[in-house]
């Protein structure tokens, strides 16, 4: 890989890391409760920073694709490679076997929305007032809460660099139009904006709780985990000739605990329906991950793709109605699992760059 391209990419990532510290709070205090809205001066500063990013050559086949799989609420030991004896997860385990497994790694928040804000912004959530989960979908929408529009996201940087960018699944960073993924660096979006959704078709939902393709509300009859994998695979098939970034945010195994009969039948020995459904949801998630990896392999681009498997916060521990930052919900060994082909590691090493990174 050309060193100048790597250097430009590093500069872009550094812009992402520092941008949120440059901007102010971005809130409107005219109302009794703060409402997050676009602030023209801050949006102009954001645009000026993004304008400094130089584009890559979209025809450069050595540029790695990036597939970031962000799952929702699996417990510490509910994946085979991390000790599960009751829920087989052969596809995720295969990624761990061929990649790198981080056994003492942490995400930056113990709840869904702040963890996603930290991931997308590259900053601790406390730097821009996002250390707590957003409220219910209706209240979040009414009070216009989300990741402030002036914050530069990972997708903003990759899109400006020249990557095709797609997001598939749960957003949970705001439901207003200016929070929408298509306004946060993504070329394509399929999924839902709120923090939770049924895994089965639900009709007549408010816009902020509906399944969307782009800005259009759609009906989705397929089990949602399978549908998210399907949309990701379609994106991979269409974008295989250029560098792409796929942000794949399965809402499994977040509530509601719902599973199809196909996967329930894999766990006939469970004594409770809830445990059977949870195991089935995890098994469906594993199959979906396997389907995405197979799409990369079928298109002969697996060996040029960085796959990162993350968990947003782990299984919750509730005290009353609070989700406290105790050891188990924060510690995420399974949240840091990276598949990076050896040939790419050697390429960077031979070019004088450290393995597992451009910087």
């Amino acid at each position: 890989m050309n060193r100048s391209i790597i250097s430009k990419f590093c500069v872009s990532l550094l812009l992402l890391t520092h941008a949120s510290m440059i901007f102010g709070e971005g809130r409107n205090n005219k109302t009794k409760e703060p409402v997050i809205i676009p602030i023209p001066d801050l949006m102009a500063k954001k645009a000026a920073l993004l304008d400094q990013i130089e584009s890559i050559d979209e025809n450069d086949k050595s540029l790695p694709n990036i597939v970031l799989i962000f799952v929702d609420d699996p417990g510490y030991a509910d994946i085979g490679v991390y000790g599960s004896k009751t829920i087989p997860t052969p596809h995720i385990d295969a990624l761990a076997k061929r990649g790198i497994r981080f056994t003492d790694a942490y995400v930056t928040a113990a709840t869904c929305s702040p963890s996603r804000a930290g991931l997308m912004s590259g900053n601790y959530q406390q730097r821009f007032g996002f250390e707590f989960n957003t409220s219910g979908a209706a209240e979040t929408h009414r009070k216009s809460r989300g990741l402030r529009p002036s914050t530069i996201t990972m997708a903003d940087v990759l899109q400006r660099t020249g990557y095709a960018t797609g997001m598939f699944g749960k957003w949970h960073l705001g439901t207003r139009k200016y929070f929408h993924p298509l306004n946060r660096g993504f070329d394509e979006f399929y999924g839902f904006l709120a923090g939770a959704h049924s895994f089965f078709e639900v009709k007549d939902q408010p816009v902020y709780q509906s399944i969307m393709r782009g800005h259009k509300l759609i009906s989705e009859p397929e089990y949602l985990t399978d549908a998210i994998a399907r949309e990701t695979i379609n994106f991979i098939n269409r974008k295989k000739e250029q560098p792409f970034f796929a942000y794949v945010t399965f809402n499994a195994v977040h509530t509601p605990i719902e599973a199809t009969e196909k996967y329930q039948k894999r766990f006939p020995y469970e004594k409770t329906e809830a445990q059977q459904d949870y195991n089935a949801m995890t098994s469906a998630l594993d199959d979906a991950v396997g389907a995405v990896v197979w799409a990369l392999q079928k298109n002969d681009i697996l060996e040029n793709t960085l796959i990162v498997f993350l968990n947003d916060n782990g299984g919750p521990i509730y005290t009353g109605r609070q989700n406290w930052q105790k050891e188990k919900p924060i510690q995420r060994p399974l949240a840091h699992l990276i598949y990076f082909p050896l040939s790419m590691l050697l390429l960077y090493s031979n070019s004088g760059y450290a393995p597992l990174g451009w910087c």
Side-chain angles (χ1 to χ4, degrees), residues 190-191 197-203 210-213 217-231 234:
Y190 167 89
H197 194 282
S198 173
F199 289 81
F200 298 109
E201 184 176 14
V202 180
K203 297 182 178 180
S210 298
I211 300 296
M212 311 175 78
R213 179 174 284 109
L217 276 59
I218 63 171
S219 176
E220 180 52 76
E222 192 170 7
Y223 185 66
L224 193 52
T225 299
D226 297 340
I228 292 170
R230 179 198 70 213
E231 295 293 320
N234 288 342

Side-chain angles (χ1 to χ4, degrees), residues 37-337:
I37 59 174
I39 305 297
D41 288 348
L42 299 182
M43 297 302 290
K45 291 180 180 179
K46 173 182 176 178
L49 272 175
L50 290 173
D51 283 343
Q52 298 180 38
I53 299 175
E54 295 186 43
S55 297
I56 58 174
D57 180 1
E58 294 183 2
N59 296 316
D60 187 344
K61 300 298 183 181
S62 67
L63 291 171
N65 306 305
I66 304 169
V67 176
L68 174 53
I69 301 172
F70 204 51
V71 297
D72 203 349
D73 284 6
Y76 180 92
D78 291 339
I79 305 295
V81 70
Y82 288 101
S84 176
K85 303 299 183 184
T86 57
I87 312 175
T89 53
H91 302 295
I92 297 172
D93 295 353
L95 282 179
K97 185 176 181 179
R98 297 183 63 189
I100 295 177
R101 182 165 59 100
F102 294 81
T103 57
D104 194 18
Y106 294 82
V107 290
T108 57
T111 50
C112 296
S113 196
S115 184
R116 293 160 201 273
L119 177 69
M120 280 288 101
S121 69
N123 280 261
Y124 284 113
Q125 303 82 354
Q126 291 82 355
R127 290 189 180 275
F128 49 95
F130 209 139
E131 61 265 44
F132 301 110
N133 225 6
T134 58
S135 48
E139 186 177 3
T140 296
H141 188 74
R142 180 172 60 84
K143 295 182 178 179
S144 187
R145 293 177 175 171
L147 181 63
R148 65 186 186 195
S150 58
T151 299
I152 291 178
T153 69
M154 181 190 310
D156 283 326
V157 172
L158 289 168
Q159 183 185 59
R160 186 58 63 96
T161 303
Y163 273 67
T165 56
M167 192 229 150
F168 311 96
K170 170 179 169 176
W171 178 236
H172 207 191
L173 290 175
T175 59
R176 296 283 183 178
K177 185 175 181 179
Y178 41 82
F179 295 130
H180 193 282
L182 295 187
N183 294 320
R184 308 312 301 264
F186 290 101
D187 302 323
E188 300 184 21
F189 169 64
Y190 167 89
F192 60 96
L193 302 176
H197 194 282
S198 173
F199 289 81
F200 298 109
E201 184 176 14
V202 180
K203 297 182 178 180
D204 300 323
Q205 291 284 292
V207 61
Y208 47 82
Q209 287 185 310
S210 298
I211 300 296
M212 311 175 78
R213 179 174 284 109
H215 290 289
K216 183 180 179 181
L217 276 59
I218 63 171
S219 176
E220 180 52 76
E222 192 170 7
Y223 185 66
L224 193 52
T225 299
D226 297 340
I228 292 170
R230 179 198 70 213
E231 295 293 320
T232 304
I233 291 167
N234 288 342
F235 176 78
I236 291 170
N237 291 339
R238 288 184 284 106
K239 302 299 181 181
K240 60 185 177 182
E241 298 299 330
Q242 68 178 105
F244 63 79
F245 168 52
Y247 178 44
V248 189
T249 56
F250 292 105
N251 58 318
V253 292
H254 193 288
T255 54
I257 304 300
E258 298 172 337
T260 61
E261 184 179 2
K262 169 186 174 181
Y263 289 99
Q264 288 171 331
K265 287 181 177 179
R266 294 184 179 182
F267 304 95
Y269 50 81
E270 290 296 347
K271 296 180 180 179
T272 67
E273 183 178 354
Q275 187 64 58
Q276 183 187 43
D277 284 346
Y278 178 84
N279 292 6
M281 291 173 71
T282 305
S283 186
L285 172 63
D286 181 69
D287 277 3
V289 171
V292 170
V293 175
W294 170 243
L296 296 168
Q297 186 170 345
K298 184 177 66 173
N299 284 298
D300 198 27
I301 54 176
L302 178 60
E303 297 307 304
N304 193 41
T305 301
L306 168 65
I307 304 173
V308 182
F309 180 89
L310 291 167
N311 190 351
D312 63 346
N313 50 249
I317 296 177
Y318 291 100
T319 303
R321 296 181 63 187
Q322 297 295 318
N323 199 351
W324 297 100
Q325 294 183 349
K326 297 182 179 179
E327 175 72 5
K328 286 301 180 184
I330 301 180
Q331 188 180 9
R332 288 294 89 220
L334 67 92
H336 291 73
L337 190 160

